[in-house]
Amino acid sequence: MKLPMSGFGIILVLILFSALPVIAVRIWFSAAGVPLRPLGFLGSLLAGILTLLPAALLQSLFPASWGGLMLRIFVRIALTEEAARLAVLALFFAILRRGSPLSEAEAAASGLVAGLGFAILETASYASAGLGIALLRAVTAAPLHGACGGRVACALYRFPGRPALAVSGFIIAVLLHGLFNFMVLKPGIPAPLPVILAAAALLPVLRTIQRRPE
């Protein structure tokens, strides 16, 4: 007998489904020798989850009806979430650097994991908007947030020596995030397009993580 799934059951399934990329990345890190130890991995994941708090606080400063669609997508959502990610990762890196400096590959790896952690809980929050939207975001939001997290982390790494490059990297993360949200929320845009965007945004981050110091 097939039992109907409750709202809590749907949220639990979405959380488990969106957590699969985290497991895959952990396996990849171990197999490829990515320089991010288990404690750093868990800390990055926790940093991503904690990003939800300052992001929600920043978004509360803007009324839900503030501005037009583009302003809400690019400022109220994308900019606030990436700014919150920047602040939390900056604090996290400051704690890590008390021991030894991070390499760019380590920073990108931490940002990727933090983005995946953020996506896990954000996906569950979309369950009330409809199962179709929630499933689409479960498939696409993880790589998109991982890509943005990696770019923000690299911006933090580059800022002391190359501030212009760091600022442009942060701006690109915001623009990618906003464009992704626009593709997901705007009726009539083919569903594969946000998937393609998320994958294309993630590839440079993966290449940075795989880069070895000379």
Side-chain angles (χ1 to χ4, degrees):
M1 182 175 64
K2 185 177 180 180
L3 297 176
M5 185 175 292
S6 66
F8 177 78
I10 292 174
I11 292 175
L12 182 60
V13 169
L14 288 172
I15 289 176
L16 293 174
F17 188 77
S18 56
L20 291 178
V22 176
I23 299 172
V25 165
R26 178 66 253 178
I27 294 172
W28 172 51
F29 281 7
S30 298
V34 173
L36 187 64
R37 295 180 179 179
L39 187 59
F41 187 95
L42 291 175
S44 301
L45 191 63
L46 178 61
I49 293 172
L50 292 177
T51 301
L52 285 166
L53 299 177
L57 178 62
L58 289 174
Q59 289 174 3
S60 70
L61 300 177
F62 299 88
S65 58
W66 175 82
L69 176 64
M70 299 301 286
L71 279 176
R72 289 198 299 271
I73 287 175
F74 282 91
V75 177
R76 186 177 183 272
I77 299 176
L79 179 59
T80 57
E81 289 184 4
E82 297 309 324
R85 199 188 319 272
L86 182 74
V88 173
L89 283 176
L91 177 61
F92 180 59
F93 287 171
I95 295 171
L96 285 184
R97 283 176 175 161
R98 293 181 64 183
S100 59
L102 291 174
S103 67
E104 188 171 19
E106 288 174 307
S110 285
L112 169 64
V113 175
L116 295 178
F118 184 93
I120 290 175
L121 294 187
E122 188 196 53
T123 296
S125 71
Y126 278 86
S128 61
L131 186 57
I133 292 176
L135 287 174
L136 174 61
R137 292 194 67 91
V139 172
T140 56
L144 186 280
H145 279 293
C148 290
R151 289 172 185 275
V152 170
C154 286
L156 284 168
Y157 172 85
R158 294 166 179 165
F159 187 77
R162 293 173 287 175
L165 185 62
V167 171
S168 65
F170 176 77
I171 292 173
I172 290 173
V174 173
L175 293 176
L176 286 171
H177 192 159
L179 183 58
F180 170 83
N181 285 339
F182 176 78
M183 288 181 173
V184 171
L185 296 174
K186 186 70 173 177
I189 293 182
L193 286 184
V195 178
I196 294 171
L197 174 66
L202 183 60
L203 285 176
V205 174
L206 298 183
R207 286 198 293 267
T208 300
I209 293 171
Q210 291 179 306
R211 191 180 302 150
R212 294 291 181 266
E214 298 180 358

